[in-house]
Amino acid sequence: MRQGNLFSRIPPRLSEEIFETLLETSGFRLERIISEGQATPPGQWYDQDTREWVVLLRGSAGLRFENEGELRVLRPGDYVHIEAHERHRVEWTDPQEKTIWLAIHYREKL
Amino acid sequence: MRQGNLFSRIPPRLSEEIFETLLETSGFRLERIISEGQATPPGQWYDQDTREWVVLLRGSAGLRFENEGELRVLRPGDYVHIEAHERHRVEWTDPQEKTIWLAIHYREKL
């Protein structure tokens, strides 16, 4: 993993989302996620032990937090910080083009 | 820092590069860098105590490692991993448009 490109090695069609760890230490894990129309299944929430900083780099997505009324629509460059155990779900991702995310999962308090 | 956009809050003209810490823990520091034609001064090298994972998201740049003959040209999505004390320099950044980088500086061995 000396060099790579976040927008390369993308399969033409995705039946499922792709989660790929790019870098991992005891302090954090860096992950690329590729979506194509997938969403969190109805009624399900992400409830993570780790904190997450995530940026959407291509495509678009709708992100919902359980404690918020409004859906957040993410466009390229948009990032969001998610606390541990802050329940959230991806309501939709762009069905027309691949959505590329970069996420940092980490444990420590800021 | 609940939400933001990596491509917003960019001044119209940059006399110097902008370095902005987005997130910091004892394990890593996440930084946005904005360049507009700047380069490492002639004869100078970065020689960092920390390891760095860096991705170029917009613009372009030429990155040189002291121990490599060839300049690496970085385009959007290109990332590179730089070891601690691996001497390197930015030979050029795009003079026509802003170059946006996202860097993770960290200490631990992988």
Side-chain angles (χ1 to χ4, degrees):
Chain A
M1 199 287 299
R2 171 65 187 238
Q3 184 159 6
N5 187 291
L6 294 178
F7 307 128
S8 69
R9 296 178 299 110
I10 297 176
R13 297 296 305 171
L14 300 188
S15 56
E16 297 185 338
E17 287 183 303
I18 293 177
F19 298 87
E20 179 187 10
T21 295
L22 298 177
L23 188 63
E24 187 162 15
T25 75
S26 68
F28 70 93
R29 184 167 63 84
L30 178 68
E31 181 179 60
R32 178 176 74 160
I33 305 162
I34 310 174
S35 314
E36 187 180 31
Q38 289 88 2
T40 311
Q44 289 190 23
W45 297 86
Y46 285 107
D47 185 343
Q48 301 170 157
D49 290 337
T50 48
R51 303 174 110 187
E52 179 178 354
W53 183 94
V54 60
V55 60
L56 187 149
L57 296 176
R58 277 199 183 166
S60 58
L63 184 65
R64 184 180 298 283
F65 289 89
E66 194 179 37
N67 64 355
E68 292 182 348
E70 293 268 312
L71 185 76
R72 290 170 183 251
V73 175
L74 303 185
R75 307 279 181 201
D78 281 337
Y79 60 81
V80 61
H81 189 264
I82 304 171
E83 292 295 326
H85 299 297
E86 188 174 24
R87 284 158 60 96
H88 61 284
R89 43 180 284 116
V90 178
E91 293 282 348
W92 55 267
T93 56
D94 196 315
Q96 306 292 340
E97 68 169 321
K98 305 287 193 302
T99 293
I100 313 285
W101 315 72
L102 189 68
I104 304 173
H105 305 275
Y106 69 101
R107 286 189 179 277
E108 196 201 55
K109 293 284 182 194
L110 289 182
Chain B
M1 202 283 302
R2 172 65 188 241
Q3 183 159 4
N5 188 290
L6 294 178
F7 306 128
S8 70
R9 294 179 298 112
I10 297 176
R13 299 296 304 172
L14 301 188
S15 55
E16 297 184 338
E17 286 182 303
I18 294 177
F19 299 87
E20 180 187 9
T21 295
L22 299 177
L23 188 63
E24 186 161 15
T25 75
S26 68
F28 69 92
R29 184 168 62 86
L30 177 68
E31 182 179 61
R32 178 175 75 160
I33 304 161
I34 310 173
S35 313
E36 187 179 30
Q38 289 88 2
T40 312
Q44 289 190 23
W45 298 86
Y46 285 108
D47 185 343
Q48 302 170 155
D49 290 337
T50 47
R51 304 174 109 188
E52 180 177 354
W53 184 94
V54 60
V55 60
L56 188 149
L57 295 176
R58 277 200 182 163
S60 58
L63 185 63
R64 183 179 299 284
F65 288 90
E66 193 178 37
N67 65 354
E68 291 182 348
E70 294 267 313
L71 185 76
R72 291 169 182 251
V73 175
L74 303 185
R75 307 278 181 202
D78 281 338
Y79 60 81
V80 61
H81 189 265
I82 304 170
E83 293 294 327
H85 299 297
E86 187 174 25
R87 284 158 61 95
H88 62 284
R89 41 180 284 116
V90 178
E91 292 283 348
W92 55 267
T93 55
D94 195 315
Q96 306 294 339
E97 67 168 322
K98 305 286 194 303
T99 293
I100 313 285
W101 316 72
L102 189 67
I104 305 173
H105 305 275
Y106 69 102
R107 286 189 179 277
E108 195 200 57
K109 293 284 182 193
L110 289 182

